[in-house]
Amino acid sequence: YLGIHPRFADSTNIGGSAFAAHVAHAAMAIEYGYCDVALIVYGSTQRSERSRTLGGRPSTLTMQYENVWGIPQPVGGYALAAKRHMHEHGTTQEQLAEIAVATRKWAALNPHATKRDLIDIDDVMASMPISDPLKLLDCCLVTDGAGAVVMTSADNAKAHGASAVNVRGFGEAHTHWSISAMPDLARLTAAEMSGKTAFEMAGVTHDAIDLVECYDSFTITVLMTLEALGFCKRGEGGEFVSNQRTAPGGPFPMNTNGGGLSYGHPGMYGIFLLIEAVRQLRGEAGEHQVAGVETALVHGTGGTLSSGSTVILS
């Protein structure tokens, strides 16, 4: 339809982490001359098609040992991780709710967000149980949506007068497919690996990060990711996000468009993390613009906490 005949293609699908991984793959392809310009694109009409069901993923590979017992996919796996994190570290449901409330505050500033009505901790706690301990407002939306990212070399971007954002570092890792094979239910090992690689490649420390766009399929995803990326110690994620630390005006701006919890979530959300980070770095985010953003970290999570990809942009 577009009349494009690519000489390099990559259809790797590792779930919500795929798009940050595609940035890495495209960067390498451009560097080694496989292509000059790369288009990363995604679209989904899963809400219109009503294709998202609790029946979840097909019983392939290790899923066959889980689905037979009726675990709701994928929320059941995330709920198991949340329960284990609570058991090991004393994390509370109220602390998870802090993430949902803060993210909704960002969405309230974004006219394109799906859910903009403000909520509080009590609203989250009173919302419908989905898979213990996760409630409705702990879970991402189901929406239609599409996004695209164009990548090229710095010289090519300059020649075309583009307001370019630079890829400073990236990392990718995979640890398992289904939740029963996760190495540690309370520890996001894939994010630890991908984050370490990205920080080392970028040559920056955590103090240099002005903004974080972190996959929020569920509130527990965010909390475990922040620990894994090293913004706080293991087990301290609940305390870290408390007191609306990540909300507008807070010291740790995160998921500034409203995230998968309130902005939109069309099947796989990862491309919107990149788009929002670029808009923030360019100063094009409107009412939800964060002042002085020079370096941003994007992290995608795929599968059932299965894969992770991290990109650092400036």
Side-chain angles (χ1 to χ4, degrees), residues 4-200:
I4 296 172
H5 305 283
R7 53 192 172 94
F8 176 82
D10 179 0
S11 57
T12 302
N13 186 348
I14 50 173
S17 64
F19 307 99
H22 286 155
V23 167
H25 300 178
M28 290 185 284
I30 291 167
E31 181 179 356
Y32 285 98
Y34 285 100
C35 65
D36 299 313
V37 179
L39 172 65
I40 303 169
V41 65
Y42 175 70
S44 169
T45 53
Q46 69 163 18
R47 181 175 178 83
S48 296
E49 295 172 354
R50 302 190 182 278
S51 60
R52 192 79 162 194
T53 70
L54 282 179
R57 292 156 180 162
S59 297
T60 55
L61 302 176
T62 48
M63 286 284 182
Q64 65 183 300
Y65 305 115
E66 296 181 0
N67 291 351
V68 65
W69 304 110
I71 185 172
Q73 298 282 8
V75 63
Y78 286 82
L80 287 172
K83 203 73 170 176
R84 186 66 193 178
H85 200 279
M86 291 174 173
H87 172 74
E88 289 193 14
H89 304 299
T91 307
T92 66
Q93 294 184 43
E94 288 82 1
Q95 288 172 332
L96 293 179
E98 291 267 6
I99 296 168
V101 171
T103 310
R104 182 64 64 88
K105 288 178 180 177
W106 284 111
L109 300 175
N110 184 358
H112 301 293
T114 303
K115 298 286 188 181
R116 301 185 66 200
D117 294 337
L118 291 175
I119 56 175
D120 58 25
I121 302 293
D122 290 339
D123 291 327
V124 180
M125 297 298 292
S127 63
M128 181 174 63
I130 301 297
S131 186
D132 185 43
L134 300 179
K135 300 175 174 60
L136 180 65
L137 293 178
D138 287 302
C139 303
C140 65
L141 304 174
V142 177
T143 69
D144 297 344
V149 171
V150 177
M151 288 185 60
T152 190
S153 66
D155 289 342
N156 200 22
K158 186 176 181 179
H160 286 80
S163 177
V165 167
N166 298 304
V167 178
R168 295 282 301 275
F170 48 76
E172 176 184 335
H174 319 261
T175 53
H176 61 282
W177 171 234
S178 61
I179 196 69
S180 57
M182 189 172 178
D184 184 335
L185 273 175
R187 181 177 184 178
L188 198 46
T189 310
E192 291 179 7
M193 296 165 65
S194 67
K196 182 175 184 292
T197 302
F199 272 106
E200 289 176 352

